[in-house]
Amino acid sequence: MSVKHLFLAILSKKAMHGYDLKNAFEHLVSEQWTLNFGQVYTTLNRMERDGLVSSKEVRQVEKPDKKIYHLTEEGQHQLDQWLREEADWNVFGDALSFRLAALEYLDRSKATALLSEYRVYLLKLIGELVAQKAAIKDPNSLTAWIFERNIMKAEADLNWVDLYSQHKNSV
Amino acid sequence: MGGLVQPAQKQCLIKMQGISRDYFCGDNVIRALADINCAITKGEFIGIMGPSASGKSTLLNIIGCLDSPTAGQYCLAGKDIKGLSQMEKASIRNNVFGFVFQSINLLPMLDIAANVALPLKYSSVPKHERKALVSEALKTVGLANLSERYPDQLSGGQQQKVAIARALVNQPDVILADEPTGNLDSASGQSVMEELRKLRDEFGRTVIVVTHDPRVAGYADRLIRLKDGTIVEDMPIQQIGAMLKNPFAGLDEGENNGEFL
């Protein structure tokens, strides 16, 4: 996923200029993240270079001209493809699994230390996610539910760390 | 050196040194707590976590003077608990602590206001002042409008908030909560935790919550983790730190940064 894909989705509904696109984007993530204008225009320039969007200058009285960005056919095609992409679950695909495997091989006591560090990390992470979720204005927005999803994932990970640590202690 | 230590000691509300608690079953000794050392400052929000039988409820009961340690020293506001009579301990339980439990225990035949007023029966507060304390406590938890209802007319989350009001009515310094969200769904649990957090933020109470729910980290200043009766972790929690990275930051720094994850 990237900013590019969310831009494609927003522009597929309506052509707009950079400022409105930035606002629409931030609304989509319930203002939990912001983009600066530099990021917006760099991304748009790159998308235009790759033929995903095209722009048209619109003259304005007493204001600088503004560029309106449209989705191209290629842009629509990439959006459709991205929306159809299948989930890709990589069993060893996170930092913990590989480091744990390496440490179990090299030094078991360091593997134990890594687990307890990771446990502390997860608790702090859950703390932040819970606090940030509580700060979202609309508790039923998709963003709030996405935070909930992340909290649940972190809780599941914490459960696993506890179970695996117990198992390690018992052997 | 002595001059530096003094102010810190004044702030310290709860101090435990080498606290142990043994239970005797015939010839067997079960050690529920072993050599607990910790200091809790006024106004802290503490989460005590741990699996079942890790000693967390025993610790909470000792803090609240519901139980006594087998060994070690417990000082509350600088005063050693050991030398106190049963009467003095009862008075501390009534005036210093407010208790919230997982089983909410409201009396079904009494309305909400009467339930909240229960702890005042044993206090020295004159009768004509009690009503004001009850409505103040109900107002604090946002249930002033439900004072004439009965417990079975309230949701689980609302009932637990009534229990918090009941714990508050004596205006205690410390709220002790044992699995306060244990019987609640996650949304009600969240609002009960927010209520407890408010007691610390807006009213300066010290709040100690025993729970197995890691979400307490979202509200606590500090987490203490118990295992087999000992403290295995004692760590501060900072709210809204730098841990949650903005996934959309730094996109303009290079070609590859347009993609993340």
Side-chain angles (χ1 to χ4, degrees):
Chain A
M1 188 192 124
S2 73
V3 154
K4 179 180 86 178
H5 291 118
L6 288 185
F7 276 11
L8 289 174
I10 295 165
L11 292 174
S12 76
K13 211 168 173 184
K14 189 176 162 223
M16 53 178 84
H17 56 87
Y19 180 79
D20 286 344
L21 185 59
K22 171 178 154 42
N23 284 341
F25 178 93
E26 286 168 3
H27 184 69
L28 208 111
V29 295
S30 301
E31 280 80 31
Q32 289 306 298
W33 288 291
T34 54
L35 295 175
N36 63 45
F37 284 108
Q39 291 171 338
V40 173
Y41 288 108
T42 316
T43 306
L44 281 170
N45 287 341
R46 205 180 296 144
M47 289 166 73
E48 189 163 23
R49 182 199 67 195
D50 296 342
L52 307 177
V53 296
S54 63
S55 63
K56 212 188 317 177
E57 298 263 357
V58 178
R59 292 213 170 279
Q60 294 204 108
V61 191
E62 287 174 18
K63 276 195 244 168
D65 296 347
K66 63 180 182 185
K67 265 184 172 177
I68 301 276
Y69 290 87
H70 300 258
L71 204 65
T72 62
E73 236 173 79
E74 175 58 21
Q76 184 67 49
H77 176 69
Q78 276 213 11
L79 173 65
D80 293 341
Q81 254 195 337
W82 174 64
L83 290 173
R84 271 201 307 267
E85 255 173 37
E86 274 176 33
D88 179 19
W89 193 284
N90 186 344
V91 171
F92 272 92
D94 69 294
L96 182 79
S97 303
F98 263 136
R99 279 197 298 158
L100 201 55
L103 286 176
E104 287 278 7
Y105 178 70
L106 294 171
D107 182 345
R108 291 203 73 194
S109 69
K110 282 189 181 153
T112 308
L114 174 67
L115 279 174
S116 78
E117 268 169 44
Y118 188 59
R119 202 178 182 289
V120 169
Y121 165 81
L122 284 172
L123 276 170
K124 292 189 171 174
L125 176 68
I126 290 169
E128 286 212 17
L129 289 167
V130 166
Q132 199 152 336
K133 185 192 165 202
I136 295 171
K137 274 185 219 124
D138 175 7
N140 279 313
S141 64
L142 175 60
T143 311
W145 278 98
I146 289 174
F147 268 87
E148 179 65 24
R149 175 170 183 241
N150 280 274
I151 295 166
M152 290 171 89
K153 280 180 161 184
E155 283 176 326
D157 223 6
L158 192 62
N159 271 334
W160 179 82
V161 169
D162 282 345
L163 282 175
Y164 181 63
S165 306
Q166 257 176 41
H167 162 73
K168 253 173 83 82
N169 284 340
S170 67
V171 289
Chain B
M1 200 54 201
L4 283 174
V5 174
Q6 211 59 29
Q9 278 179 341
K10 260 188 188 164
Q11 294 259 319
C12 182
L13 187 68
I14 286 165
K15 185 157 190 180
M16 301 200 144
Q17 280 175 302
I19 290 286
S20 297
R21 178 66 172 100
D22 296 329
Y23 291 102
F24 301 94
C25 294
D27 290 341
N28 294 329
V29 179
I30 296 160
R31 175 147 282 198
L33 290 176
D35 194 24
I36 297 289
N37 295 291
C38 78
I40 294 171
T41 307
K42 189 172 182 293
E44 271 191 295
F45 192 126
I46 309 250
I48 299 178
M49 294 184 68
S52 49
S54 58
K56 47 193 200 309
S57 293
T58 306
L59 181 58
L60 199 77
N61 289 342
I62 288 177
I63 291 174
C65 300
L66 293 167
D67 192 359
S68 303
T70 320
Q73 190 185 44
Y74 171 25
C75 290
L76 180 64
K79 209 170 174 188
D80 193 340
I81 292 299
K82 206 173 198 171
L84 301 181
S85 68
Q86 284 305 321
M87 284 288 280
E88 285 170 308
K89 280 190 191 171
S91 151
I92 286 176
R93 277 199 295 274
N94 244 324
N95 298 310
V96 179
F97 296 108
F99 297 90
V100 179
F101 298 102
Q102 176 174 5
S103 52
I104 299 167
N105 291 331
L106 299 178
L107 295 180
M109 68 293 267
L110 297 181
D111 70 12
I112 296 309
N115 265 288
V116 172
L118 277 174
L120 295 172
K121 278 216 155 119
Y122 312 103
S123 83
S124 52
V125 178
K127 273 206 167 124
H128 63 276
E129 286 174 25
R130 292 181 184 182
K131 211 175 164 191
L133 286 175
V134 169
S135 37
E136 187 63 36
L138 278 170
K139 209 175 98 189
T140 302
V141 299
L143 295 181
N145 55 332
L146 300 182
S147 64
E148 288 170 10
R149 301 262 185 102
Y150 285 81
D152 62 4
Q153 295 173 301
L154 270 53
S155 71
Q158 286 171 326
Q159 288 186 29
Q160 191 56 292
K161 285 184 190 176
V162 172
I164 293 174
R166 183 180 57 188
L168 279 177
V169 76
N170 277 332
Q171 303 191 288
D173 299 309
V174 187
I175 299 292
L176 301 177
D178 196 348
E179 299 280 6
T181 61
N183 283 335
L184 304 176
D185 63 82
S186 90
S188 310
Q190 183 178 325
S191 76
V192 163
M193 288 306 294
E194 275 164 16
E195 214 52 68
L196 290 170
R197 178 77 195 176
K198 202 171 84 181
L199 298 180
R200 175 219 175 277
D201 289 348
E202 293 175 24
F203 301 93
R205 308 269 190 240
T206 308
V207 181
I208 304 176
V209 179
V210 155
T211 182
H212 65 275
D213 182 359
R215 291 183 192 225
V216 71
Y219 308 92
D221 303 310
R222 180 175 155 200
L223 290 184
I224 294 174
R225 189 161 70 100
L226 288 178
K227 204 183 156 198
D228 302 328
T230 59
I231 294 178
V232 288
E233 237 159 50
D234 188 341
M235 65 178 199
I237 294 279
Q238 278 117 22
Q239 305 291 338
I240 320 284
M243 277 179 76
L244 297 185
K245 288 180 216 136
N246 179 348
F248 309 115
L251 296 177
D252 48 350
E253 280 167 16
E255 192 74 4
N256 288 332
N257 289 334
E259 309 278 337
F260 67 91
L261 289 181

